[in-house]
């Protein structure tokens, strides 16, 4: 009897460990809020409109975080603030510090508690990590998502939203795996790269994901974004988003779009196409029927 109980217990533990492993191997987006993750370059009208809409339109209360930039660029009347105001947003508050002790204070996080959206500017993503990881500020960013808000960002402000901080080295952005590897983890088990086609980076995530097959790589080109809610994202903007999944690296998995000769280790999604993050599967519309009506 004791042997049977021991075997059942071992089976229970093994089953739950496997379930946990499968769970943690899957990227998951925010349960209630949304993310707008932009690959840098010019943020076009479509992307701005979606971000503002998700934040509440003219009644949005947006926090602008320029921390990824140089100190010389951290100014109150930034062009992004002006852009949001031109779009009709009445309340835009700049929030910035380099000191995690400041970011861990009640006074600093007070504006986030009333906000409906947060926007991270571009620059170097490790600067955001240094300032906010493990602080009350990070906690309040997550609380904003949990009440249905939106977090957006471009370039460095895109990569910081993943769980793994790609190009997070203080020595330069050509170091793919650096001295900072933890992102803010708004989207789990994902590494995000930006400017991928404009800067000829499309193979960088491929080499990295080979070493970390547990992660999903998402590469976003300039003027392009993914809009994430729960376990699905949609591509908006003018260029492409690349998907890097280790199961495709043998080159035997057909491109979801079915394009001839494109069964490589990664594939692209374009505007309007969607992706299932939990099952790592492209969600593409069915091709038009080729059947003709019979006479």
């Amino acid at each position: 009897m004791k042997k049977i109980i021991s075997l059942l217990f071992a089976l229970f533990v093994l089953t739950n460990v496997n379930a946990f492993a499968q769970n943690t191997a899957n990227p998951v987006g925010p349960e209630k809020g949304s993310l707008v993750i932009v690959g840098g370059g010019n943020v076009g009208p479509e992307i701005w409109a979606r971000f503002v809409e998700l934040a509440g339109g003219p009644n949005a209360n947006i926090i602008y975080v320029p921390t990824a930039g140089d100190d010389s660029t951290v100014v109150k009347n930034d062009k992004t603030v002006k852009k949001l105001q031109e779009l009709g947003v009445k309340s835009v508050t700049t929030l910035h510090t380099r000191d995690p002790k400041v970011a861990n204070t009640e006074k600093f996080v007070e504006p986030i508690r009333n906000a409906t959206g947060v926007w991270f500017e571009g620059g170097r993503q490790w600067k955001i990590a240094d300032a906010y990881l493990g602080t009350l500020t990070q906690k309040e960013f997550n609380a904003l998502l949990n009440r249905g808000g939106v977090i957006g960002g471009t370039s460095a402000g895109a990569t910081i939203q993943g769980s793994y901080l790609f190009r997070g080295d203080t020595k330069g952005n050509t170091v793919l795996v650096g001295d900072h590897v933890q992102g803010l983890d708004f989207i789990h088990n994902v590494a995000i790269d930006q400017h991928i086609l404009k800067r000829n980076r499309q193979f960088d995530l491929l080499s990295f994901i080979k070493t970390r097959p547990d992660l999903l790589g998402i590469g976003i080109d300039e003027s392009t974004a993914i809009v994430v809610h729960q376990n699905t994202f949609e591509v908006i903007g003018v260029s492409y988003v690349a998907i890097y999944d280790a199961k495709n690296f043998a080159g035997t998995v057909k491109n979801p779009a079915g394009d001839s000769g494109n069964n490589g280790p990664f594939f692209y999604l374009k505007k309007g196409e969607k992706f299932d993050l939990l099952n790592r599967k492209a969600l593409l519309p069915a091709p038009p029927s080729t059947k003709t009506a019979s006479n």
Side-chain angles (χ1 to χ4, degrees):
M1 186 66 170
K2 286 183 179 179
K3 286 184 178 180
I4 294 173
I5 292 172
S6 297
L7 285 170
L8 288 172
F9 178 76
L11 182 61
F12 171 82
V13 170
L14 184 61
T15 301
N16 281 277
V17 165
N18 287 339
F20 176 77
Q22 289 173 3
N23 234 5
T24 54
N26 288 319
V28 178
E31 182 67 27
K32 296 180 180 178
S34 302
L35 307 173
V36 178
I37 306 176
V38 190
N42 178 53
V43 181
E46 178 189 12
I47 298 172
W48 278 125
R50 182 70 68 90
F51 173 73
V52 171
E53 176 192 3
L54 290 168
N59 296 319
N61 183 344
I62 293 174
I63 301 295
Y64 170 64
V65 183
T67 306
D70 295 332
D71 289 338
S72 61
T73 65
V74 179
V75 290
K76 187 174 182 180
N77 296 318
D78 185 270
K79 64 180 181 180
T80 302
V81 174
K82 292 179 179 177
K83 180 65 179 180
L84 288 166
Q85 291 169 341
E86 289 170 4
L87 291 168
V89 178
K90 296 181 177 64
S91 178
V92 184
T93 303
T94 298
L95 195 72
H96 166 68
T97 184
R98 300 264 183 237
D99 188 347
K101 291 180 180 177
V102 172
N104 206 35
T105 63
E106 295 286 339
K107 182 179 180 181
F108 186 80
V109 302
E110 189 64 33
I112 310 174
R113 290 174 174 160
N114 299 312
T116 58
V118 171
W119 183 268
F120 288 98
E121 195 55 83
R124 292 306 318 279
Q125 46 264 36
W126 61 264
K127 294 181 180 180
I128 303 173
D130 274 356
Y132 305 124
L133 270 179
T135 67
L136 275 175
T137 300
Q138 183 180 9
K139 181 180 177 182
E140 291 302 328
F141 289 152
N142 283 312
L144 180 146
L145 287 173
N146 288 335
R147 61 178 180 264
V150 58
I151 293 180
T154 184
S155 192
T159 298
I160 193 64
Q161 297 188 52
S163 55
Y164 189 95
L165 198 65
F166 199 58
R167 298 187 194 276
D169 195 90
T170 53
K171 293 187 291 295
N173 62 11
T174 59
V175 182
L176 306 184
V177 178
D179 49 23
H180 290 63
V181 295
Q182 177 61 51
L184 290 177
D185 196 22
F186 300 141
I187 176 171
H188 313 315
N189 302 304
V190 159
I192 300 170
D193 200 9
Q194 1 83 7
H195 307 279
I196 62 158
L197 295 174
K198 183 70 174 181
R199 298 187 184 179
N200 199 28
R201 292 175 169 180
Q202 60 268 37
F203 293 100
D204 291 353
L205 269 171
L206 176 59
S207 61
F208 169 69
I209 296 296
K210 284 179 179 178
T211 70
R212 288 294 306 271
D214 55 308
L215 298 174
L216 179 73
I218 303 176
I220 309 173
D221 197 27
E222 293 189 0
S223 305
T224 307
I226 60 172
V227 180
V228 186
H229 179 64
Q230 295 182 344
N231 294 324
T232 302
F233 75 69
E234 175 191 359
V235 180
I236 63 174
V238 301
S239 190
Y240 294 89
V241 171
I243 299 296
Y244 304 81
D245 185 349
K247 72 181 183 183
N248 295 348
F249 288 177
T252 57
V253 177
K254 190 175 181 181
N255 183 316
D259 294 335
S260 176
N262 202 6
N263 299 336
F266 60 91
F267 61 88
Y268 293 105
L269 298 173
K270 62 181 182 296
K271 178 179 177 177
E273 294 181 337
K274 297 181 179 181
F275 188 82
D276 178 343
L277 290 161
L278 188 61
N279 297 299
R280 298 189 176 186
K281 181 180 179 182
L283 303 173
L284 303 182
S289 175
T290 57
K291 292 181 179 179
T292 57
S294 57
N295 293 328

